[in-house]
Amino acid sequence: MKTLFFFFLWSSVALADAPFPGPSELAMEVNKVRAAHGLYELTQVEPLICAANRHAKDLAQTLDCSHEGSDGSTWQSRAKDCGTRVKAEILACGYGQAVNVIKRWMNDKMSKAILLDDDAQAMGTAKVDDVWILLIK
């Protein structure tokens, strides 16, 4: 019998700045639309992914599509709980594929402005069932 052990060293500074190892489908679509508008790509960072995942799991369980969590949390409080700050959250439920989510967001004035924010520094994405979350820092 073989046993596999994993050892993790945590550093709050390293974690806050560490990029997520590999883009999600949504992150790739976000960067495609940003590139098409002459904007730089955004890198996913773990604290934003943490906050996005927390909310996506909650929404998928409650079958609600709201910025407020079932526990009363906000996108700002979820980001703070994961060790970061956040500028904006966009969400979508029931669109099937990331490309459809992006089309929907690009047809909404506020969501489009967030996607194309030229001051954005990083992002975090999550998908649980058909709940899609994008956080921008």
Side-chain angles (χ1 to χ4, degrees):
M1 180 178 180
K2 294 183 180 180
T3 305
L4 194 58
F5 292 96
F6 293 94
F7 295 95
F8 296 96
L9 297 175
W10 291 96
S11 165
S12 61
V13 174
L15 181 61
D17 297 329
F20 184 72
S24 71
E25 179 186 6
L26 183 57
M28 289 188 293
E29 292 299 327
V30 166
N31 281 328
K32 280 182 193 175
V33 77
R34 288 179 60 82
H37 287 83
L39 298 169
Y40 53 87
E41 288 189 356
L42 297 176
T43 302
Q44 289 210 87
V45 293
E46 186 59 39
L48 291 176
I49 295 166
C50 165
N53 272 321
R54 176 179 157 192
H55 195 46
K57 288 175 187 175
D58 182 40
L59 295 183
Q61 287 178 351
T62 61
L63 302 177
D64 188 15
C65 198
S66 168
H67 290 284
E68 184 176 325
S70 63
D71 60 356
S73 64
T74 65
W75 42 276
Q76 298 97 332
S77 67
R78 290 185 293 273
K80 184 178 179 183
D81 290 347
C82 289
T84 193
R85 59 181 175 74
V86 66
K87 196 176 200 179
E89 174 183 77
I90 316 175
L91 57 88
C93 302
Y95 285 86
Q97 297 179 325
V99 67
N100 297 333
V101 171
I102 295 295
K103 285 178 187 176
R104 188 259 181 242
W105 289 344
M106 289 299 287
N107 286 320
D108 175 78
K109 187 177 179 179
M110 185 177 291
S111 297
K112 182 177 180 178
I114 293 167
L115 279 173
L116 302 179
D117 181 355
D118 61 355
D119 290 327
Q121 301 171 4
M123 71 173 148
T125 64
K127 177 188 181 288
V128 176
D129 296 334
D130 203 13
V131 175
W132 304 79
I133 307 286
L134 170 66
L135 293 174
I136 299 285
K137 179 177 177 179

